[in-house]
Amino acid sequence: MARGKLRIYLGAAPGVGKTYAMLSEAHRRIERGTDCVVAVVEHHHRPRTEVMLHGLEQIPRKELAYRDTVFTEMDVDAVLARRPQVALVDELAHTNIPGSRNTKRWQDVEELLDAGIDVVSTVNIQHLESLGDVVESITGIRQKETVPDEVARRTDQIELVDMSPQALRRRMAHGNIYKPDKVDAALSNYFRPGNLTALRELALLWVADRVDEYLQQYRSEHRVSRIWGSRERIVVGLTGGPEGRTLIRRAARLAEKGAGGEVMAVYIARSDGLTSASPKELALQRTLVEDLGGTFHHVIGDDIPVSLLEFARGVNATQIVLGVSRRKGWQYVFGPGVGATVARDSGPDLDVHLITHDEAGKGRGLPASRGARLGRARILWGWLIGVVGPALLALLLTNVPTELGLANNVLLFLSLTVAAALLGGRWPALASAAVSSALLNWFFTPPVHTWTIADPRNIVAIAVFFAVAVSVASVVDLAARRTEQAARLRAESEILSFLAGSVLRGETSLEALLERVRETFGMESVALLERESDIASWTCAGRVGGAGPVERPEDADVDMPVGDHMALALSGRVLPASDRRVLAAFAAQAAVVLDRQRLQHEAEQARALAEGNRIRTALLAAVSHDLRTPLAGIKASVSSLRSDDVAWSEEDQAELLAAIEEGADRLDHLVGNLLDMSRLQTGTLTPLIREVDLDEVVPMALVGIPDPESSVFLDIPETLPMVAVDKGLLERSVANVIENAVKYSPDGEPVAVTASVHADRVEVRVVDRGPGVPDEAKSRIFEPFQRHGDAPRGDGVGLGLAVARGFAEAMGGTLDAEDTPGGGLTMVLTLPATLCHATVDGGRPATSTRS
């Protein structure tokens, strides 16, 4: 019997429409004549989903008793007995009631599939087992009901049911997902915009990977070798050289230009295990590509271009990034190189990028001496060819039966001298000239085997040979020294160009510049020291590297004075005099950067003073108008009571006294906010952090709210963890936020104050249904003396939210504003929790109180 096929509707969160989509498909299949039944559907009393059940055959559920309660589950035996073509099974991750046929619903589905019944099911991304930790880090809720990823990956079809977070929150606000009494709690917990966006991304990426698996399987089964550019996959060919980091970063920038771009770095090693790559450099490049979100691959292959192209086509890559060859021009006689070969054989469906790179002066120091630059191997070969080569050539020529003549012999020995000069430099070439002259005289100049020369022309020939050999050696050595000087000057020019550019852009910090000095000259530590003009001791203005500080320039291996009161001190080795010119430029730049940092600090202080002046100006305006308004009311009421011309009744006196009390309270509130803001501005606010229960503090913040029982709805679960806050500051902050929300909330619409826990933070959300605030004004409403919209002039000085945010940040929390679904503004106060909190369903609020 053929196994049934499984189709899954995958969603990012509850309410996106998975069940609705599954039922819509059932109606379409029935219209086509397919025998389709509903095995189990969880509609959660959503009207639109319940309507979709009309016209569909439903298998009665099986009743099970558990702990004195009757539950219903899918009747697997009834579905097997009915034996339809297609069965609808909702919520694949559901855990069955104890006593059921199987523990998990997905196990029930496996039985239906084994019986040859096709199944259409639903599941949310948070219920996949491998994503449990990721979902918990995002939402703060650990999902107990999960489905093994292998079950989901074995499905024949997966369809993503997608919806934007904003649309889903609007659907929630309209009551289409949960009942009205659960909406606010769900919006402030699980259905936050950040949560929904992250879960949506997880769902999209998981489906994309599943689609990629389908594509690879199809290409393998149908032997498709041609590249299908469904998304950008960039392969970076690495050689193990330092240019690899440049290539990886360039490939990452290319991948960012297209949606879903992927970077795969590959290093191809020979099958015999021989490699010239630096293991340390390859480890650094592996770390870099993984940090940039790519992958690193190690491939074995003797033919590098062929292996690279096979790998790229195997992973369906669209681009290859290679570095320009590091070979010399004359070395191209041995072949076109890897880059040219890959570009030639890549075909029209695979783009090849050749990236230029130059590591001179970047972490390798300035060019070293010529001997070090040539390397020991080249110098050794130069001496072998210059000394041993002439001896072997003389032995060969003496055993050749044909006489070549002295002129030809001279040319042959001269070629060895030139080769020695090209490989080893001047001294091997001079030694070769001396040895070759002696051998020519002894073996090939009559009379042979003597040091005498009979023919004067032969004396001239040997003398000319020696002169030409010495000249060639000198010219080659001069060219090498000129090349070394050019490389050094190029390195110095790049360094000076970097310094000039950093001065113009103002980008380099002092630590970054000192680190650049340390890398360029290969030092252990670098420090910038300075002293006052009348003080002999030095102070360290900045330092990088090393284990112990350098307290004086005299203690360093290299010191470079900068003016009379500053010096750059380097430890590690003694630098040659030729490097001090570039070091002087670094030292001067370090002094400029230090001065710039100090100027920036002074500018920040000046801005703080200017802000203080602005606040003082606003304070004067507040005193001149906003504070005088309640004072005028108090003055008028007191004058009226003291007047002997009017006989006030008890009711009139009570009304005037109430006006006096109201004005005094209002004046006290304004003055309190002004004092709080002054404490925040001067930095004299010191919170007393203690562990506090949130459900004890928030009700106390309603004392100054008019008619709190009808204007404010509290939903503060008792199971919340304690928060580490200053109780007084928290009460004042919450009071200011609630007061602001009540002020703008329309009549008959109470302000909702809810609280929930997310990971190690507790959120207090104050939700109003007022006119709301545009996105561009959300940051301005927290500035001092700012009032949004058409708030009456006498309603305060615009400090309530500024003080609330200042208090929140002083306690290590945050206060932000976001839109309320359906209209209005929601203030989110985030506070640090002190204890871990048991996981609860994000859509089901815990016990609440109403005030």
Side-chain angles (χ1 to χ4, degrees), residues 234 246 248-258 263 292 355:
I234 303 175
T246 302
I248 292 171
R249 293 188 181 96
R250 178 62 173 166
R253 290 196 296 271
L254 289 174
E256 290 175 355
K257 295 180 180 179
V263 176
L292 293 174
I355 307 301

Side-chain angles (χ1 to χ4, degrees), residues 596-616:
R596 183 189 298 122
Q597 289 183 351
R598 289 173 175 171
L599 289 174
Q600 290 176 348
H601 179 67
E602 294 176 0
E604 291 175 357
Q605 291 180 335
R607 282 194 295 269
L609 292 174
E611 179 66 16
N613 290 332
R614 186 184 72 83
I615 291 178
R616 280 191 289 271

Side-chain angles (χ1 to χ4, degrees), residues 212-226 228 313-314 316:
D212 192 47
E213 292 177 7
Y214 280 131
L215 180 60
Q216 295 295 343
Q217 180 182 355
Y218 178 87
R219 286 168 52 84
S220 175
E221 292 175 352
H222 293 77
R223 299 181 180 179
V224 178
S225 59
R226 187 177 181 86
W228 290 353
R313 291 193 173 97
N316 200 29

Side-chain angles (χ1 to χ4, degrees), residues 708-741:
E709 293 186 358
S710 60
S711 60
V712 179
F713 173 79
L714 285 186
D715 183 5
I716 310 297
E718 298 177 355
T719 56
L720 288 176
M722 303 180 76
V723 291
V725 295
D726 184 303
K727 185 176 180 180
L729 297 184
L730 176 60
E731 180 183 340
R732 191 64 177 272
S733 180
V734 173
N736 283 358
V737 174
I738 295 177
E739 179 186 354
N740 182 80

Side-chain angles (χ1 to χ4, degrees), residues 335-654:
V338 174
T341 304
V342 171
R344 181 192 62 198
D345 299 338
S346 62
D349 53 353
L350 187 58
D351 297 334
V352 178
H353 302 268
L354 293 179
I355 307 301
T356 58
H357 52 82
D358 189 356
E359 297 297 324
K362 297 183 179 180
R364 291 189 167 186
L366 297 177
S369 63
R370 181 171 180 266
R373 181 178 59 82
L374 291 177
R376 294 182 179 179
R378 287 190 58 179
I379 294 176
L380 178 61
W381 276 105
W383 281 103
L384 288 175
I385 293 177
V387 177
V388 180
L392 295 177
L393 179 61
L395 180 63
L396 176 65
L397 293 177
T398 54
N399 293 317
V400 174
T402 303
E403 181 67 27
L404 297 179
L406 182 59
N408 291 328
N409 292 336
V410 167
L411 292 177
L412 291 175
F413 279 97
L414 182 61
S415 64
L416 291 178
T417 302
V418 172
L422 292 174
L423 288 175
R426 177 174 54 185
W427 295 111
L430 292 178
S432 177
V435 172
S436 298
S437 299
L439 292 175
L440 283 172
N441 183 13
W442 182 265
F443 287 104
F444 304 104
T445 304
V448 295
H449 304 300
T450 64
W451 296 113
T452 59
I453 302 176
D455 191 347
R457 292 177 296 179
N458 292 337
I459 297 177
V460 173
I462 293 178
V464 170
F465 164 78
F466 186 80
V468 170
V470 171
S471 299
V472 169
S474 300
V475 169
V476 171
D477 183 71
L478 179 62
R481 284 190 283 111
R482 291 289 183 265
T483 301
E484 176 190 357
Q485 293 174 0
R488 185 178 188 83
L489 291 175
R490 181 178 181 182
E492 291 182 2
S493 66
E494 288 185 354
I495 293 173
L496 296 176
S497 174
F498 162 78
L499 293 177
S502 64
V503 170
L504 294 176
R505 297 186 300 269
E507 294 176 348
T508 305
S509 65
L510 181 60
E511 289 74 16
L513 182 64
L514 296 182
E515 181 65 25
R516 174 80 177 191
V517 175
R518 190 180 69 84
E519 291 181 353
T520 299
F521 296 99
M523 308 301 287
E524 293 180 359
S525 67
V526 179
L528 182 63
L529 307 177
E530 62 175 344
R531 65 179 177 182
E532 299 292 339
S533 57
D534 55 347
I535 299 177
S537 61
W538 293 82
T539 59
C540 183
R543 185 175 179 277
V544 294
V550 177
E551 298 180 353
R552 299 182 305 168
E554 295 81 5
D555 298 334
D557 295 317
V558 181
D559 69 284
M560 175 59 64
V562 187
D564 297 331
H565 310 295
M566 194 174 295
L568 192 64
L570 295 83
S571 299
R573 63 186 179 93
V574 178
L575 293 180
S578 57
D579 287 347
R580 296 185 67 87
R581 178 175 56 182
V582 177
L583 184 60
F586 271 114
Q589 174 65 4
V592 171
V593 170
L594 181 61
D595 290 340
R596 183 189 298 122
Q597 289 183 351
R598 289 173 175 171
L599 289 174
Q600 290 176 348
H601 179 67
E602 294 176 0
E604 291 175 357
Q605 291 180 335
R607 282 194 295 269
L609 292 174
E611 179 66 16
N613 290 332
R614 186 184 72 83
I615 291 178
R616 280 191 289 271
T617 302
L619 178 59
L620 290 175
V623 171
S624 64
H625 188 282
D626 294 285
L627 296 181
R628 291 180 63 186
T629 300
L631 282 174
I634 295 173
K635 174 67 175 176
S637 299
V638 172
S639 299
S640 299
L641 288 174
R642 296 189 61 187
S643 175
D644 297 333
D645 299 335
V646 180
W648 302 101
S649 63
E650 293 184 0
E651 292 78 5
D652 294 336
Q653 290 179 4

